């Protein structure tokens, strides 16, 4: 993958278990937060987003939680599958009238059968 | 709807050369952003274009430049290539309307500088 990185945190889960990936963001004024999944050799794939005026949003098998008090974002994946194995990034859009995203360092999710 | 496309997908250049990368956004998306991804630095914002104007720029040297055309397609150029410019260059197109916001990435161009 692109972020092999010696310091890339890794989460290992068994197939069928739930996964929780955490992210601390930097700007209390950020208005949008997005989770991306990146598989080896591919560009980041949009998973789910959440606006700053929400604290929870659900998609298909995924839930994003936003805690603005502590500037924390989490991605929950239900019934994790081998195909979920990838690097996951959180990103924040920090400034109004721009599409610049600030990315976290990423978390590698490994799913074992 | 077709996704973000980037060409070429792979490129090998030598130090001192220059390179131009191309990005075609999703139809209807007017904003294009470029990012550099390396194992050591992660995803770093390069610049953003909206309606042919650079709206935001990251902390990269002037060797990195870009532009956007009237059809929203964008190019980025890197002059006087250095070994450290080896990276995956990602283009993203964005759409924002009525509280909805989307930003989707292309597959990237893998640049290797030797």
């Amino acid at each position: 993958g692109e972020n092999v990185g010696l310091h890339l945190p890794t989460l290992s889960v068994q197939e069928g278990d739930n996964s929780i990936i955490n992210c601390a963001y930097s700007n209390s004024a950020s208005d949008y937060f997005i989770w991306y999944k990146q598989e080896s050799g591919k560009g980041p794939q949009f998973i789910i987003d959440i606006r700053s005026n929400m604290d929870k949003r659900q998609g298909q098998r995924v839930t994003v939680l936003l805690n603005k008090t502590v500037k924390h974002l989490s991605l929950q994946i239900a019934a994790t599958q081998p195909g979920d194995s990838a690097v996951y990034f959180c990103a924040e859009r920090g400034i109004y009238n721009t599409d610049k995203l600030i990315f976290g360092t990423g978390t590698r999710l490994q799913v074992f059968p | 709807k077709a996704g973000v496309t980037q060409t070429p997908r792979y490129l090998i250049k030598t130090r001192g050369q220059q390179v131009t990368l191309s990005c075609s956004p999703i139809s209807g998306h007017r904003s294009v952003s470029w990012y550099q991804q390396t194992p050591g630095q992660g995803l770093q914002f390069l610049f953003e274009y909206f309606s042919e104007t650079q709206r935001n720029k990251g902390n990269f040297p002037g060797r990195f430049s870009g532009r956007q055309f009237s059809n929203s397609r964008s190019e980025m150029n890197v002059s006087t290539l250095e070994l450290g410019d080896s990276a995956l260059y990602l283009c993203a197109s964005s759409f924002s309307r009525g509280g909805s916001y989307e930003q989707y990435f292309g597959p990237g161009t893998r640049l290797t500088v030797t």
Side-chain angles (χ1 to χ4, degrees), chain A residues 35-47:
Chain A
W35 280 99
Y36 289 94
K37 170 188 179 183
Q38 188 173 30
E39 297 172 286
S40 183
K42 297 183 179 180
Q45 176 189 351
F46 179 99
I47 300 174

Side-chain angles (χ1 to χ4, degrees), chain A residues 2 32 36 38 98-99 101, chain B residues 31 35 37 48 99 103 110:
Chain A
E2 289 313 319
Y32 267 104
Y36 289 94
Q38 188 173 30
T98 179
D99 292 317
L101 294 180
Chain B
S31 172
Y35 296 82
Q37 187 175 29
E48 171 200 349
Q103 183 163 152
R110 163 71 63 191

Side-chain angles (χ1 to χ4, degrees), chain B residues 34-75:
Chain B
W34 289 88
Y35 296 82
Q36 180 196 66
Q37 187 175 29
T38 60
Q41 298 297 319
L43 279 147
Q44 302 275 304
F45 173 79
L46 280 158
F47 26 65
E48 171 200 349
Y49 288 88
F50 181 82
S51 294
E52 303 178 65
T53 301
Q54 188 179 86
R55 189 160 65 174
N56 209 343
K57 189 177 189 304
N59 296 323
F60 279 82
R63 300 184 296 108
F64 292 81
S65 63
R67 59 178 176 169
Q68 187 180 32
F69 302 95
S70 59
N71 61 358
S72 294
R73 190 178 70 85
S74 178
E75 289 181 346

Side-chain angles (χ1 to χ4, degrees), chain B residues 9-10 12 14 41 52 58 68-69 89-91 112:
Chain B
R9 291 293 312 278
Y10 303 91
I12 300 175
T14 57
Q41 298 297 319
E52 303 178 65
Q68 187 180 32
F69 302 95
Y89 289 88
L90 293 158
C91 169
T112 301

Side-chain angles (χ1 to χ4, degrees), chain A residues 36-89:
Chain A
Y36 289 94
K37 170 188 179 183
Q38 188 173 30
E39 297 172 286
S40 183
K42 297 183 179 180
Q45 176 189 351
F46 179 99
I47 300 174
I48 191 169
D49 66 347
I50 187 169
R51 293 188 68 178
S52 59
N53 61 356
M54 302 169 68
D55 53 22
K56 180 179 180 179
R57 190 169 187 213
Q58 289 184 291
Q60 189 176 13
R61 278 202 310 119
V62 295
T63 300
V64 55
L65 299 177
L66 175 63
N67 185 332
K68 294 183 287 295
T69 303
V70 294
K71 294 194 288 185
H72 183 267
L73 199 62
S74 68
L75 177 70
Q76 300 177 0
I77 305 173
T80 313
Q81 302 168 0
D84 295 327
S85 295
V87 177
Y88 289 80
F89 294 94

